[in-house]
Amino acid sequence: MMDKLVIEGSHQLEGEVCVHGAKNAVLPILAATILNGGKNVIHSCPDLKDVRASVNILKHLGCEVEMQDGTLVINSSGACGFEIPERLMHEMRSSVIFLGAIIARFGKAIAALPGGCELGPRPIDLHLSAFRQLGVDIEEEHGYIKCSCDRIVPTAIHLDFPSVGATENIMLVAALAQGTTIITNAAKEPEIEDLQKYLNSMGAKIAGAGTSVIQIEGVKKLGDVEHSVIPDRIAAATYLSCSAAAGGTIELKNVIPSHMEAFLSVAEQYGAKIYVSDERIVHVAPKKLEAVKIVRTLPYPGFPTDAQSPLMAALTLARGASIFVENIFESRYKHVYELCRMGADITVDGRTAVVRGVNELSGANVCAMDLRGGAALAVAALAANGRTVISNVYHIDRGYENFEKTLKALGAKITRQ
């Protein structure tokens, strides 16, 4: 029997949220633990379904893993496996990030095509093209990718699109190569910077993360490492969306406001008062949200695609019409039908969604179709009249630690069944 969330709406949120470590930062870091063949201590590691899936992959490869109080200790000295079976790859889409690290350490890797959220085509062609440019032979057959190489051949790689995953995979595979690899049109996300910091703490020589050009000077060996993961800017944006929809004032602790600038700019447009200090953001929701003229999802530092769904749920109650243009994933509007079941007025045409604000939403039985879409349904449910039951909650558990406990501490009427 799958878990469900039951939410009684129309309760304002008040209080503090300590934002957990970033899902999108910790997953490539977990893959990177394979590289050093030693001890990896990772603090601020969130307890998420996707993290557990990554841990299962590491254990399958022969790593020793312990987790206690938000700290993961991984010893990869005994890792000897280079094959990830279908059942483990299908637990999450970003499992492809393990390929780069396994190739770098063992010179070969075999993995099934990845699973996770169905967000339309999310081709790994950029990853495979980059591997080939680095001298890796790749065969694709029967749903498996088989990679092998005698040695990594450093080179200059231009990415046709600034893919986060491809940028990370190149960093991982090139970290131990003899020579210099340069990535142009690299992704600039904060999570890339966190991976660079982690690898350099091991002894890697990488520069340029956070810009469009990253230089990786390969080293012969990497050492033990201890690192704290950056806060999760998408979880932070989700809780701000919850506050916007339900009303009230919340304070986020353990955030990096500069990572949130695109979202905070939109929050000011919908009428919120925002107060920022070093690691805190205070969000005072307006009595009535104002429509946002246009929200375009773009690679960082643009508006993050992962924050689009929760924000859209809040803006279903805004005064006027808001327009969303999704430029990253083709199938990122699966939550729209479920929001409309709750009384939202949303029209989708290709990559564009027009959200006409309504006076109220009504509780309903809805289904989470993916991670951020599930969070969007919770945002809407917090503001809706009556009771909402969200099924397929396992999607939400992939990216949010203690989701209902966090909301309950803010005053939401939410239970898990």
Side-chain angles (χ1 to χ4, degrees), residues 5-11 245-246 313 317 339 342 361-364 366 374-390 413-414:
L5 286 180
V6 180
I7 301 174
E8 295 285 345
S10 301
H11 294 277
L317 291 162
L339 289 175
M342 299 176 72
L361 298 173
S362 300
V366 291
L377 298 180
V379 171
L382 291 168
N385 292 325
R387 182 172 178 262
T388 298
V389 179
I390 305 173
K413 304 299 179 186
I414 178 172

Side-chain angles (χ1 to χ4, degrees), residues 250-329:
I250 69 167
E251 179 176 350
L252 302 183
K253 300 189 297 181
N254 188 42
V255 285
I256 301 175
S258 62
H259 293 174
M260 304 277 301
E261 285 176 358
F263 189 93
L264 296 180
S265 173
V266 171
E268 288 176 337
Q269 291 175 57
Y270 64 60
K273 288 193 173 78
I274 304 291
Y275 304 95
V276 171
S277 58
D278 286 349
E279 293 184 352
R280 293 171 180 260
I281 296 172
V282 176
H283 177 280
V284 184
K287 286 192 166 53
K288 179 74 174 176
L289 297 174
E290 297 294 335
V292 176
K293 189 173 181 182
I294 190 161
V295 178
R296 290 187 180 89
T297 65
L298 291 166
Y300 189 85
F303 192 90
T305 181
D306 283 356
Q308 174 256 106
S309 312
L311 174 65
M312 182 185 289
L315 291 180
T316 59
L317 291 162
R319 185 187 289 113
S322 304
I323 297 173
F324 287 79
V325 181
E326 174 56 59
N327 292 306
I328 309 298
F329 295 129

Side-chain angles (χ1 to χ4, degrees), residues 190-214:
E191 294 78 13
I192 303 282
E193 293 185 69
D194 208 35
L195 179 61
Q196 174 180 284
K197 186 177 179 183
Y198 187 83
L199 291 169
N200 285 350
S201 295
M202 276 184 176
K205 294 182 179 178
I206 304 174
T211 76
S212 60
V213 180
I214 297 175

Side-chain angles (χ1 to χ4, degrees), residues 88-101:
L88 293 177
M89 286 294 287
H90 281 189
E91 287 186 23
M92 62 174 187
R93 296 278 284 203
S94 54
S95 49
V96 71
I97 197 67
F98 279 89
L99 282 178

